[in-house]
């Protein structure tokens, strides 16, 4: 599994970018928001990635932030939301706005995205209301929740990469962080969080 790419931004298109990493060009699908955020062509760029595997293809989707990637995972977990629709939503709404829309059950805000009708928007806000946990780096945190920062944010991201749900990852890391105290290393946080999540 490829968690992120760090290299030179070779080119961009309407819905994708090519990142050159050690002479290999990785084509990554991306929202317009990510394409605007990753920097100018020819400069260094880092994108967080999600690998989509189907019967006939393997694709990478890239994101400017880990929280945007986490929202992509949540969105594509809703019935009727494929990668294109999820990217359209993330092109229209920042993670923090999406969190606000889900918390307030504001289907009209979600329906502003291309390809999202009223019924699908209603399903998205309804299904995600109970599944939204805390998100890394303070962007896109669910209303009323404090998002982790620093090593804790990285630990949440690591657990999400291992397939844990956002709420499970956040709870386990918060418990590990409380037990280890300030200054705990990422490695120690992840190890203890995995033990707590397995209980």
């Amino acid at each position: 599994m490829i968690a992120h790419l760090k290299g030179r931004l070779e080119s961009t298109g309407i819905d994708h970018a090519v990142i050159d990493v050690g002479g290999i060009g990785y084509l990554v699908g991306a929202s317009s928001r990510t394409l605007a955020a990753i920097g100018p062509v020819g400069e260094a760029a880092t994108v967080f990635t999600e690998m989509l595997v189907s019967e006939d293809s393997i694709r990478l989707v890239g994101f400017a932030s880990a929280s945007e990637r986490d929202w992509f995972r949540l969105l594509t977990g809703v019935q009727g939301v494929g990668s294109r629709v999820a990217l359209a939503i993330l092109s229209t709404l920042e993670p923090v706005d999406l969190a606000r829309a889900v918390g307030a059950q504001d289907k009209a805000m979600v329906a502003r995205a291309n390809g999202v009708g009223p019924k699908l928007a209603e399903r998205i806000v309804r299904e995600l209301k109970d599944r939204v946990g805390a998100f890394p780096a303070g962007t896109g945190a669910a209303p009323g929740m404090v998002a982790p920062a620093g090593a804790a944010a990285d630990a949440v991201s690591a657990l999400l990469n291992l397939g844990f749900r956002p709420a499970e990852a956040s709870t386990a890391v918060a418990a590990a962080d409380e037990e280890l105290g300030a200054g705990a290393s990422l490695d120690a946080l992840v190890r203890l969080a995995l033990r707590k999540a397995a209980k």
Side-chain angles (χ1 to χ4, degrees):
M1 175 124 162
I2 300 172
H4 74 271
L5 295 174
K6 186 180 286 188
R8 185 166 55 86
L9 182 59
E10 190 75 19
S11 63
T12 59
I14 295 172
D15 60 357
H16 68 274
V18 176
I19 309 284
D20 185 300
V21 182
I24 299 172
Y26 289 88
L27 178 75
V28 293
S31 70
S32 58
R33 194 174 296 281
T34 289
L35 291 171
I38 58 175
V41 170
E43 296 294 321
T46 299
V47 290
F48 297 88
T49 56
E50 181 76 356
M51 186 179 290
L52 306 178
V53 181
S54 64
E55 288 181 9
D56 56 355
S57 70
I58 297 175
R59 296 191 305 128
L60 277 177
V61 184
F63 307 94
S65 68
S67 61
E68 187 182 14
R69 180 183 60 193
D70 297 339
W71 273 106
F72 177 84
R73 289 172 175 165
L74 281 173
L75 288 165
T76 54
V78 175
Q79 183 184 354
V81 179
S83 59
R84 283 185 190 280
V85 170
L87 288 176
I89 293 170
L90 291 168
S91 291
T92 304
L93 298 171
E94 291 186 35
V96 67
D97 295 325
L98 194 46
R100 198 174 295 123
V102 169
Q105 295 290 279
D106 186 350
K107 61 187 180 191
M109 184 180 281
V110 177
R112 286 169 34 200
N114 287 336
V116 180
K119 285 186 178 178
L120 183 56
E122 184 176 3
R123 185 186 306 146
I124 289 168
V125 297
R126 188 180 66 242
E127 285 192 23
L128 293 187
K129 184 168 178 67
D130 297 329
R131 292 168 53 191
V132 171
F135 286 85
T139 55
M145 296 192 74
V146 178
D154 292 337
V156 170
S157 188
L159 264 65
L160 290 170
N161 287 337
L162 292 171
F164 288 90
R165 290 175 179 270
E168 292 172 333
S170 299
T171 302
V173 170
D177 194 35
E178 187 175 334
E179 186 172 316
L180 293 171
S185 71
L186 173 60
D187 189 45
L189 270 175
V190 170
R191 279 204 306 268
L192 184 55
L194 283 171
R195 287 204 297 274
K196 291 188 176 295
K199 287 182 180 178

